[in-house]
Amino acid sequence: LIKTEYTYNKTKLTKESSEYFENNYTFNDIGNLTNLTINGVNGSSSHQYVYDSYNRLCIVVNSDSNKREQITLNYDNNGNIRTRVVRNMTTGVTTGRAYTYDSSNRLTRMNDGENEYVLQYNGTSPNPSLLKKNNVPYHIYYEGKRIIRINNNQYFYNEEGIRTRKVIVNNTNGAVTTE
């Protein structure tokens, strides 16, 4: 049995610890998480979080013994993430994603420099009916909010809404695989 201890200030968890780990949390005056340090049997890491004047997360700095990276998020006037840039401060490699939205704030395009994803919607539905990855179409079908089919692949759920089975149909030879 592992005993875990929790420490709180007036309203926030500030520390959780056991014989295997210790996590420390720091918050700013309005309750946003600003620092997380994790010390465990497999090493330690630290995470710093910076927010803009609208309390949106805009910078994350993750550090551990193997790497240090900075993630920067930029937003449009509606609060949608416009760009996400990840800079590996250890290797100097930078990757990014750009996002585009329609007038209903639905994601319509994402480009990560290698792949372009385009989403199309039927009417005012919040769920995309078509996803194109590098111009390869994936038709998406729903039952309520659950995806039940993408092209020929089918998805099954239990009463709690947890996906229990995925049936994959190979479009080339018709072979069926169940996950």
Side-chain angles (χ1 to χ4, degrees):
L1 183 67
I2 298 173
K3 178 182 175 187
T4 303
E5 294 182 15
Y6 302 94
T7 306
Y8 296 84
N9 65 12
K10 293 178 183 177
T11 59
K12 299 282 185 206
L13 175 67
T14 59
K15 181 179 175 181
E16 59 182 329
S17 59
S18 77
E19 60 188 281
Y20 299 105
F21 70 90
E22 179 178 299
N23 298 339
N24 291 287
Y25 305 88
T26 306
F27 299 87
N28 63 16
D29 292 339
I30 57 173
N32 294 325
L33 179 65
T34 57
N35 289 288
L36 167 60
T37 57
I38 301 170
N39 297 299
V41 294
N42 295 322
S44 62
S45 63
S46 67
H47 311 273
Q48 298 172 319
Y49 306 94
V50 178
Y51 302 85
D52 65 14
S53 60
Y54 296 104
N55 293 311
R56 299 177 299 200
L57 183 63
C58 59
I59 297 174
V60 178
V61 178
N62 298 314
S63 303
D64 64 27
S65 59
N66 297 317
K67 74 175 182 179
R68 182 173 160 87
E69 71 178 7
Q70 177 176 308
I71 302 168
T72 304
L73 302 169
N74 291 303
Y75 299 85
D76 65 19
N77 291 335
N78 293 325
N80 300 310
I81 296 175
R82 193 179 63 209
T83 60
R84 178 183 184 267
V85 177
V86 178
R87 183 169 61 98
N88 184 319
M89 298 157 67
T90 306
T91 64
V93 174
T94 299
T95 60
R97 291 182 184 161
Y99 303 92
T100 305
Y101 303 86
D102 66 13
S103 60
S104 298
N105 293 313
R106 298 178 299 189
L107 181 65
T108 57
R109 186 177 303 269
M110 192 278 287
N111 189 313
D112 64 9
E114 293 181 21
N115 297 294
E116 180 174 58
Y117 302 86
V118 176
L119 294 98
Q120 296 176 359
Y121 300 83
N122 286 330
T124 59
S125 172
N127 300 321
S129 58
L130 177 65
L131 165 67
K132 291 182 182 177
K133 177 181 177 186
N134 299 327
N135 286 323
V136 175
Y138 297 89
H139 297 273
I140 306 168
Y141 302 90
Y142 299 86
E143 186 175 272
K145 293 183 178 183
R146 295 183 192 138
I147 294 174
I148 58 169
R149 197 172 73 165
I150 299 177
N151 289 349
N152 292 329
N153 301 327
Q154 294 180 318
Y155 302 86
F156 298 88
Y157 302 84
N158 65 17
E159 294 81 27
E160 288 83 38
I162 297 170
R163 191 179 85 190
T164 57
R165 191 167 50 122
K166 176 181 177 183
V167 176
I168 302 167
V169 178
N170 183 315
N171 291 330
T172 305
N173 62 17
V176 176
T177 306
T178 300
E179 290 181 357

